[in-house]
Amino acid sequence: MGAPAILGRVVDAAMRCFNELSVGSVRGESSHYSELLTVMNQCNAANVNIRKEHFLISKAPVNYMHIMENSSFSMGIFLLKAGCSIPLHDHPGINGFIKVLRGKIEMGSFTVRNMSLPNSHTNHRHTEMEVEPEVVTT
């Protein structure tokens, strides 16, 4: 199956899943959630046409291949060279799906539990975070 076919199936499943969800919904609330996971689990580097040459095109440690975006979701492929990372960042109210196509990743996740207003003297905030269990996946 070529890249357009499998990615087209992922896009179609994502549209059914995310068009049904509202911002801030949680995993599993869409009746199409398991369908999306099933199609994503069929993806691999070969059938989405990711080859070793893609990592040699740029000297940058991380590259991004945009697939599509609409008002319900955004889809792309990150190409990370060995040993590289993406800085800690947030996506408030957003559901995320990650599929490793080649290699393995270590992923840390944090959930904000309480955030104070900035201190008027220092402009610092106090933030309480819950550290989610680290995930290593291939």
Side-chain angles (χ1 to χ4, degrees):
M1 183 178 293
I6 190 69
L7 290 178
R9 290 179 49 216
V10 174
V11 167
D12 290 345
M15 288 180 113
R16 285 189 290 278
C17 182
F18 292 116
N19 285 340
E20 187 175 279
L21 293 175
S22 62
V23 173
S25 297
V26 295
R27 177 177 70 179
E29 286 187 1
S30 169
S31 61
H32 299 284
Y33 175 77
S34 62
E35 174 194 3
L36 177 56
L37 287 179
T38 298
V39 176
M40 284 181 63
N41 284 331
Q42 295 169 2
C43 292
N44 57 52
N47 69 11
V48 298
N49 207 18
I50 299 294
R51 296 180 308 279
K52 194 172 186 176
E53 301 84 58
H54 287 103
F55 293 90
L56 303 174
I57 293 170
S58 170
K59 291 183 181 181
V62 178
N63 288 288
Y64 178 76
M65 298 169 61
H66 181 75
I67 305 298
M68 70 131 340
E69 184 173 351
N70 66 20
S71 61
S72 299
F73 70 96
S74 174
M75 183 185 302
I77 298 174
F78 285 92
L79 302 171
L80 283 76
K81 293 185 178 173
C84 294
S85 64
I86 295 175
L88 179 65
H89 60 284
D90 65 351
H91 297 276
I94 303 295
N95 293 296
F97 287 77
I98 296 174
K99 170 66 177 158
V100 178
L101 299 173
R102 181 176 180 214
K104 70 178 184 176
I105 62 168
E106 293 181 25
M107 182 174 62
S109 180
F110 305 88
T111 301
V112 175
R113 292 293 174 214
N114 186 16
M115 186 182 303
S116 67
L117 294 173
N119 178 302
S120 60
H121 300 291
T122 63
N123 205 30
H124 290 126
R125 295 175 186 253
H126 175 75
T127 304
E128 294 176 14
M129 314 242 346
E130 179 179 328
V131 178
E132 307 291 339
E134 186 173 279
V135 175
V136 177
T137 187
T138 57

